[in-house]
Amino acid sequence: MFEQNQKLSGAPAKKIVIVGGGTAGWMAANLMAKNWANKGFEITLIESPDIGIIGVGEGSTPQLKGFMDSLGISEQEWMPACNATYKLGIKFKDWSVRPGFTSYFHPFPAQPDDYTAPAFFHNSYVRRQGVDVQGHPDHFFLATHLAAQKKSPIASENFPFEINYGYHFDSTLLGQFLAQFARDNGVKHVQATINDVRLGAGGDIVSVVTEGGQEISGDLFVDCSGFRGLLIQQALKSNFVSFGKNLFNDSAVVVQTPGTEELESQTISTALKYGWAWKIPLTSRIGNGYVFSSSFCTPDQAETEFRQHLGLQESDVAVRHLKMKVGRLEQHWAKNCVAVGLSQGFIEPLEATALHLVQETVEGFIDAFEKGSFTDRNRAQFNNSINDRFEAVRNYIVAHYRVNSRSDTDYWVENARNEHLSSSLRSVLEAWIRGKNISDELDRQDIDRYYPSISWNCLLAGYGLYPEQHQLKPGNELANKYDLNNIQDFIHRCSLNFQSHRDELNRMMGS
């Protein structure tokens, strides 16, 4: 690494070498170029023409909008180029078999929810005390209503309230778009396959060597080489921590199907026998995948079930089978190398967190590196921060499986029985079951910055994790303090300010 406390002022240009492209590599290149191109850095990205990208993650959280805004890229520029659509949240189907709770919608927050969310918090709390009030989250949020009507999140000008949203996109096209943007902003692009990684006497990476014999040296290396972790895992031997004990899924089968005229503005996640299937709408097609555990079924069994789920015959279309390495590194920044994307870790795409983790990693590294005067002074603090974020995402994903009520296969039964829970997750679930305000528990642990209270409440309420219907009693005036009809009317009238998803995208493209 750079010598402790050495600054760049007056020093030769420092070389950053990014190994691997795809969305993760080009996001890293663009963010580093934006922050450091005028500080004497030279950025080179090496991308193998022989290694394709996995291209599974085609959904995002709202943070992707902040990434594009920070680079000055408008939606009119990138969305049509990537066949992108808007995403208001995720609908979960068949994760629960509790009556009235077989599906729920996890919304991204909107400013008008400030009016309706207190009613949801109140009702979910009171229902856990045994009072018969409406506790299903689908009745309380604007995004849920908009998604059900296949509307976009873009409001008319006379509705001046913030609506958070994510995107669906073609990950291959997004990588290509970001690559061109990076090249236009001075990032050097080398197409080559790495054949060797050379280390110095102190264990730092000195250079990488291509199959053609070209040696490319650098001061700082960014590993975006995917699951194989060419630099961080193979060369630097950074230890990988498996999440297999409480996240069973390790495989996926994916296929593309034709799009429809009416365009959903939500991801749909449907629980199947040995995992779950996603449905992601793009302007050009629909992306479909089945994430499953190979410990409970074979790939052929998964493919057969998936085709039945989609109504596809074996001769209709070819599918792709993928293996997933679920877990994280102990050190995302080791020696003079930082890992970004699949090389640093992966948590199944249930809540579309892959690009969020990429963005948090790169932005966090840029901040730590600068505050440390471009030395490794803040490396331990950075690694702890990223590990905390991975663990917080893992806890939230594990909760989806742990509180499921299905019993049709051993897969779901074993997930519900799984006692490999962190103390953090165990405390949150215990607070909910005991009828406490889980916002207090999230505050106590300081984890609501990862998933806020609304997200946790929607998850646990959406599964119907309440007393059984026969155990509930009628509520008094205090318990029924919110009028659901007024809330529904408010949400409906708010929704009148939004167009259909298809019409909004047509307007953007000028058609």
Side-chain angles (χ1 to χ4, degrees):
M1 200 60 203
F2 308 125
E3 288 185 18
Q4 193 71 16
N5 297 326
Q6 178 186 352
K7 296 187 178 181
L8 291 176
S9 178
K14 298 301 177 181
K15 295 182 178 180
I16 299 176
V17 178
I18 302 172
V19 174
T23 311
W26 290 112
M27 284 183 75
N30 277 294
L31 287 171
M32 290 179 173
K34 173 181 176 290
N35 284 273
W36 292 337
N38 61 349
K39 295 182 179 180
F41 281 86
E42 175 187 305
I43 302 171
T44 300
L45 187 145
I46 307 170
E47 186 174 34
S48 172
D50 303 322
I51 301 176
I53 66 170
I54 289 181
V56 169
E58 296 191 316
S60 84
T61 61
Q63 281 79 1
L64 185 60
K65 185 177 189 304
F67 168 80
M68 293 295 186
D69 289 347
S70 72
L71 296 178
I73 301 173
S74 70
E75 291 179 346
Q76 289 75 15
E77 289 178 81
W78 81 267
M79 287 185 68
C82 301
N83 298 331
T85 61
Y86 291 111
K87 174 184 171 183
L88 286 155
I90 306 170
K91 183 175 184 177
F92 291 88
K93 297 175 61 177
D94 300 331
W95 286 73
S96 168
V97 297
R98 295 183 177 95
F101 294 90
T102 56
S103 72
Y104 79 96
F105 184 80
H106 179 188
F108 294 135
Q111 202 170 9
D113 295 341
D114 293 345
Y115 177 79
T116 59
F120 171 57
F121 284 128
H122 170 80
N123 280 21
S124 67
Y125 175 78
V126 169
R127 190 176 177 103
R128 283 183 286 131
Q129 312 308 309
V131 180
D132 190 6
V133 296
Q134 180 55 258
H136 198 296
D138 284 4
H139 297 278
F140 298 92
F141 297 99
L142 176 59
T144 310
H145 195 72
L146 295 176
Q149 297 183 77
K150 297 182 175 62
K151 289 194 170 186
S152 86
I154 308 302
S156 59
E157 189 175 356
N158 62 336
F159 191 74
F161 300 99
E162 182 179 355
I163 310 294
N164 286 320
Y165 55 85
Y167 306 97
H168 305 116
F169 48 85
D170 183 315
S171 56
T172 299
L173 294 179
L174 180 58
Q176 293 172 357
F177 180 91
L178 294 176
Q180 187 58 55
F181 190 86
R183 288 191 293 265
D184 290 344
N185 285 276
V187 175
K188 184 180 179 182
H189 185 195
V190 176
Q191 290 191 309
T193 300
I194 302 300
N195 197 42
D196 189 24
V197 180
R198 294 181 176 171
L199 305 182
D204 284 1
I205 298 174
V206 174
S207 63
V208 293
V209 183
T210 71
E211 282 187 346
Q214 181 185 7
E215 184 172 1
I216 301 174
S217 61
D219 300 305
L220 174 69
F221 290 80
V222 183
D223 189 342
C224 298
S225 63
F227 284 132
R228 59 186 181 141
L230 178 64
L231 307 183
I232 197 82
Q233 293 184 58
Q234 294 187 31
L236 297 181
K237 310 301 181 185
S238 185
N239 189 46
F240 184 82
V241 180
S242 172
F243 288 173
K245 286 186 177 181
N246 53 21
L247 287 175
F248 299 161
N249 296 337
D250 60 0
S251 306
V253 53
V254 299
V255 66
Q256 299 174 7
T257 55
T260 57
E261 179 57 32
E262 275 200 315
L263 200 58
E264 297 272 9
S265 49
Q266 61 184 340
T267 300
I268 298 177
S269 167
T270 304
L272 300 180
K273 289 182 179 179
Y274 308 105
W276 59 276
W278 75 73
K279 179 182 178 183
I280 292 180
L282 305 184
T283 58
S284 57
R285 58 171 171 82
I286 294 174
N288 308 277
Y290 181 11
V291 176
F292 64 94
S293 171
S294 62
S295 297
F296 292 85
C297 73
T298 67
D300 285 345
Q301 288 174 318
E303 180 178 333
T304 298
E305 184 190 7
F306 189 39
R307 287 183 180 276
Q308 291 172 348
H309 169 68
L310 295 175
L312 293 176
Q313 301 298 319
E314 189 170 349
S315 59
D316 285 347
V317 62
V319 302
R320 281 196 301 152
H321 284 267
L322 305 170
K323 292 296 290 184
M324 304 185 304
K325 184 179 178 181
V326 180
R328 63 161 175 82
L329 296 175
E330 279 187 359
Q331 291 188 314
H332 306 262
W333 178 2
K335 297 293 184 177
N336 62 335
C337 177
V338 60
V340 176
L342 298 180
S343 62
Q344 70 175 132
F346 180 72
I347 300 174
E348 62 176 78
L350 186 59
E351 290 279 353
T353 54
L355 292 191
H356 167 74
L357 289 168
V358 166
Q359 189 174 341
E360 288 291 334
T361 298
V362 178
E363 291 176 346
F365 175 76
I366 289 171
D367 183 62
F369 202 37
E370 287 187 351
K371 287 181 177 178
S373 301
F374 301 101
T375 72
D376 60 5
R377 181 190 305 159
N378 294 323
R379 183 167 60 195
Q381 180 181 355
F382 166 82
N383 283 328
N384 290 337
S385 174
I386 299 302
N387 282 337
D388 286 347
R389 187 166 293 275
F390 264 84
E391 292 301 322
V393 172
R394 169 163 62 157
N395 284 334
Y396 191 68
I397 301 301
V398 168
H400 289 68
Y401 294 97
R402 184 61 174 81
V403 303
N404 93 85
S405 54
R406 295 177 61 125
S407 59
D408 53 321
T409 63
D410 288 344
Y411 170 87
W412 289 107
V413 171
E414 290 304 312
N415 268 294
R417 288 176 178 168
N418 194 339
E419 290 301 321
H420 291 284
L421 306 180
S422 69
S423 59
S424 171
L425 176 57
R426 197 178 296 277
S427 294
V428 173
L429 295 181
E430 286 179 355
W432 177 272
I433 296 298
R434 291 177 180 177
K436 297 180 179 179
N437 182 348
I438 64 169
S439 296
D440 294 338
E441 180 61 28
L442 299 175
D443 287 342
R444 185 188 71 81
Q445 296 189 40
D446 191 27
I447 56 174
D448 55 349
R449 54 200 167 108
Y450 304 116
Y451 284 97
S453 186
I454 281 182
S455 294
W456 280 102
N457 275 271
C458 282
L459 165 60
L460 300 176
Y463 275 69
L465 207 60
Y466 290 123
E468 298 293 335
Q469 185 64 41
H470 70 271
Q471 298 173 309
L472 300 175
K473 58 189 178 184
N476 56 25
E477 184 177 339
L478 181 61
N480 291 292
K481 65 183 290 189
Y482 292 99
D483 187 327
L484 193 61
N485 289 327
N486 287 342
I487 289 172
Q488 292 291 291
D489 181 62
F490 172 79
I491 293 174
H492 168 70
R493 290 162 69 184
C494 286
S495 74
L496 298 177
N497 293 277
F498 298 81
Q499 295 189 71
S500 79
H501 194 190
R502 177 69 72 179
D503 287 347
E504 176 60 33
L505 292 174
N506 288 341
R507 182 199 63 78
M508 175 192 295
M509 294 183 287
S511 58

